[in-house]
Amino acid sequence: MTRQEIEETVKNFLVEELELNGDNIKPEARLKEDIGIDSLDFVDIVVIVEKQFGVKIKPEELTDVKLFSQFCDYLERKIAEK
């Protein structure tokens, strides 16, 4: 899966599943402040990502992830490790 496919897949489920504004989802967007992801949304995201990409997400690995691009970087690494 390419980086672009990862970004598009994540953006699509953020818009479709969590009903977030797709215009706000850019690589430099902050997950909480710009996109509007709260802690409850994050639980849903973890479940969706695990199903969609077949990777296990550990919340402690995401403590420094603040931007959409950082989240996609993390997913790209996890997918490569599988």
Side-chain angles (χ1 to χ4, degrees), residues 69-81:
S69 62
Q70 291 173 322
F71 184 66
C72 291
D73 290 342
Y74 171 80
L75 287 178
E76 193 172 27
R77 283 191 307 275
K78 293 298 278 188
I79 291 168
E81 291 171 4

Side-chain angles (χ1 to χ4, degrees), residues 10-25 34-37 41 44-45 48:
V10 173
K11 182 176 180 175
N12 286 339
F13 72 69
L14 290 176
V15 170
E16 293 171 16
E17 300 293 329
L18 302 180
E19 299 178 358
L20 298 171
N21 184 344
D23 294 337
N24 296 336
I25 304 171
D34 300 329
I35 299 175
I37 295 172
D41 290 334
D44 291 337
I45 290 169
I48 293 167

